[in-house]
Amino acid sequence: MSLLFSFQDLNAVFEKLTRQYRIMAPIRIVGGGRFSDDDSIQYGEVTKIEEVVWDEKSHFSPKEVIAPITQTLFHISNDQLITSTIDRRKILLFMRPCDIHGMSRLDDMFMKNGDNEDFYYKRLRDRVKVVMFECDSGWDNCFCVSMKTNKTEDYDVAVRFSENDISMKFQNEELEAQFAEHGQPSEFEPNFVEENSFTVDLPAETSGLAPQQIRDKIIGHQLFDEYDRRCVECGRCTTSCPTCSCYTVHDVKYSENAKVGERQRVWSSCIVPGFSDMAGGHSYRNRKSERLRYRLLHKMVDHNERFGHHMCVGCGRCDDRCPQYISFSNMVMKTTAALTEVEHA
């Protein structure tokens, strides 16, 4: 069923819903951007529909909600370990189609990557109901069509914003019942992006090579050498990525008593120096170019080999956020070109 709402009517529903749901959506952090007087668009809890930034691409992804930047795993009290607690409410999460695909990649890593599900990810993920933004045009750096993440039916509610009202299509009966008394009948069906401003040729699909053949030909290839000079190892590409899931773990003491504190996991990045250091002083991928090549192969080859779909969803946030203007999509294109050249030589 589809319904049309005024902002006023929708806010009345929101007021009632917040008793059961945290409503999480892109919001504007005024002055919080990377440049002076620049804003940041990132995820936060909203109570009114006017707070939702629907007409700009968020700088950070919904990953912040289900895999927080800093997450307390458990508290330490002398000889006791006490599991951390979370807000018990469900989560109504506004996302674009590419980010919905991104959440499925996080599901791969945290819930299907071995015999055990990640307890801390799952307890948040199980609470999520997805509200999909209609996204029918994209932005300059988007390449979701190439990654086949421009469309999805995996949502509970789809929404189309306009200046004065909002159309919603419900695929979840529980949510439909919560909203129904305030809306007017509508014929709304969400549209999707059909074409991006550019197309990315994917390594495996274009070259026809098997994953191991790609790794054999690309590892050591000189095409990545230029990034030794350009990359500054800041890791912005990974923090803005909806599918990067690397983290580090450390203990925090509350006082001089080392037996009282908590264990946290915090986002980390395969791009920053020292991430691959191991006990005994071993270290891998010391060059910036090696880390960027590793990230590309992980996103475009390795994950697909294991789970049947690429890890990259083509949102283009890594291109948007890089302070050195390194373009991941261009890097993919160069890799594909190199594979083709090598193959035809």
Side-chain angles (χ1 to χ4, degrees):
M1 181 173 74
S2 295
L3 297 170
L4 179 68
F5 298 87
S6 67
F7 282 16
Q8 183 178 7
D9 286 342
L10 205 55
N11 284 335
V13 181
F14 273 23
E15 184 177 3
K16 183 174 62 175
L17 271 182
T18 52
R19 299 166 198 161
Q20 303 174 48
Y21 286 88
R22 283 195 295 149
I23 305 174
M24 305 297 291
I27 60 173
R28 183 177 302 280
I29 309 297
V30 177
R34 56 179 166 168
F35 302 117
S36 176
D37 302 319
D38 193 25
D39 299 339
S40 177
I41 311 296
Q42 57 192 75
Y43 273 75
E45 186 169 357
V46 302
T47 57
K48 296 184 181 301
I49 195 65
E50 292 89 343
E51 298 173 70
V52 178
V53 178
W54 56 273
D55 53 354
E56 298 179 47
K57 180 165 60 172
S58 64
H59 299 124
F60 295 94
S61 77
K63 178 178 70 176
E64 296 180 84
V65 178
I66 49 177
I69 298 171
T70 300
Q71 189 171 30
T72 299
L73 304 182
F74 53 81
H75 301 275
I76 305 163
S77 179
N78 293 310
D79 296 329
Q80 288 186 312
L81 300 179
I82 304 167
T83 305
S84 60
T85 58
I86 58 171
D87 192 319
R88 308 303 293 182
R89 290 176 294 171
K90 300 174 187 175
I91 301 169
L92 203 61
L93 184 55
F94 284 72
M95 313 170 75
R96 299 191 181 280
C98 61
D99 287 330
I100 295 173
H101 284 277
M103 188 165 65
S104 77
R105 279 40 167 188
L106 292 179
D107 291 348
D108 291 340
M109 299 308 295
F110 286 108
M111 297 171 65
K112 303 173 185 175
N113 192 20
D115 296 331
N116 297 309
E117 296 176 327
D118 185 291
F119 167 80
Y120 302 99
Y121 175 83
K122 188 175 187 298
R123 67 178 178 176
L124 287 171
R125 178 67 177 86
D126 285 348
R127 285 172 166 73
V128 170
K129 301 296 181 187
V130 173
V131 181
M132 183 187 74
F133 287 112
E134 180 184 60
C135 190
D136 59 2
S137 57
W139 284 269
D140 289 347
N141 287 327
C142 296
F143 54 102
C144 55
V145 175
S146 297
M147 302 310 302
K148 297 181 174 56
T149 57
N150 53 315
K151 299 179 181 179
T152 182
E153 293 297 320
D154 190 15
Y155 60 83
D156 295 286
V157 185
V159 297
R160 174 189 291 163
F161 280 73
S162 71
E163 294 298 329
N164 301 310
D165 51 42
I166 295 179
S167 302
M168 306 180 78
K169 176 185 176 183
F170 295 88
Q171 298 191 143
N172 179 298
E173 292 181 357
E174 178 188 333
L175 288 170
E176 181 181 313
Q178 298 269 15
F179 283 78
E181 65 176 293
H182 295 275
Q184 301 299 318
S186 165
E187 299 297 322
F188 167 61
E189 286 288 335
N191 296 318
F192 297 96
V193 176
E194 297 293 344
E195 185 177 10
N196 297 129
S197 58
F198 65 97
T199 300
V200 174
D201 296 326
L202 307 183
E205 288 79 351
T206 303
S207 70
L209 297 175
Q212 189 56 50
Q213 290 176 300
I214 294 175
R215 288 189 282 269
D216 290 342
K217 291 178 181 296
I218 288 302
I219 292 175
H221 196 287
Q222 63 182 10
L223 78 89
F224 291 94
D225 291 351
E226 63 174 293
Y227 303 113
D228 281 327
R229 299 184 295 275
R230 181 166 290 273
C231 178
V232 294
E233 308 171 307
C234 66
R236 275 183 173 173
C237 51
T238 55
T239 56
S240 60
C241 176
T243 69
C244 278
S245 54
C246 293
Y247 58 83
T248 187
V249 175
H250 59 243
D251 292 340
V252 177
K253 292 190 295 184
Y254 295 156
S255 66
E256 292 182 354
N257 183 353
K259 292 187 176 181
V260 179
E262 65 183 55
R263 178 159 296 177
Q264 298 177 342
R265 67 179 174 193
V266 183
W267 286 4
S268 188
S269 169
C270 59
I271 298 299
V272 300
F275 178 77
S276 301
D277 287 355
M278 300 174 66
H282 301 290
S283 183
Y284 299 94
R285 296 187 289 275
N286 292 316
R287 293 173 56 191
K288 303 168 190 175
S289 58
E290 293 174 326
R291 293 177 221 140
L292 286 165
R293 183 203 64 216
Y294 168 79
R295 182 169 186 265
L296 184 145
L297 290 175
H298 184 47
K299 298 286 185 184
M300 306 303 294
V301 178
D302 302 339
H303 193 91
N304 186 39
E305 182 182 21
R306 186 167 185 178
F307 294 104
H309 42 229
H310 294 295
M311 195 173 201
C312 174
V313 295
C315 71
R317 288 190 180 93
C318 51
D319 288 13
D320 298 335
R321 299 295 293 167
C322 179
Q324 293 294 92
Y325 304 105
I326 295 173
S327 168
F328 183 75
S329 54
N330 280 341
M331 200 184 304
V332 174
M333 294 284 280
K334 289 179 181 178
T335 300
T336 301
L339 287 169
T340 306
E341 290 169 2
V342 170
E343 185 65 12
H344 292 168

